[in-house]
Amino acid sequence: MHAELGDELIIESPATGAARRDGEIVGLHHDDGTPPYDVRCSGTGRVTLVFPGPDAHVRHLHHREAPGAPRRPGRD
């Protein structure tokens, strides 16, 4: 699992019908983007240290352009 600041961490519920949890990754503890993460929970705004388990996945919200890629109009 790898993440960048601003990505979303989603933790699925192991119980049927229970709500999943999610939040924004606001802190990384390793340069390579591996866990653990500081996550701002979407429901409470509280920041907690999370060691994601097998029921978690990262939704990448920021897409970096490759170095040397042609620039798209309107993007600086």
Side-chain angles (χ1 to χ4, degrees):
M1 178 178 296
H2 297 301
E4 296 179 16
L5 293 177
D7 286 348
E8 182 178 26
L9 181 67
I10 300 169
I11 303 171
E12 302 294 344
S13 173
T16 303
R20 70 180 191 181
R21 295 176 292 153
D22 62 85
E24 177 187 0
I25 296 173
V26 296
L28 301 174
H29 292 263
H30 301 285
D31 291 337
D32 64 355
T34 57
Y37 306 121
D38 293 326
V39 178
R40 179 178 295 116
C41 299
S42 64
T44 64
R46 182 175 167 206
V47 176
T48 58
L49 178 64
V50 177
F51 292 83
D55 56 344
H57 63 275
V58 173
R59 190 171 118 202
H60 301 283
L61 302 178
H62 301 283
H63 300 283
R64 294 183 181 170
E65 292 182 16
R71 298 183 78 140
R72 290 182 251 161
R75 301 210 34 156
D76 292 320

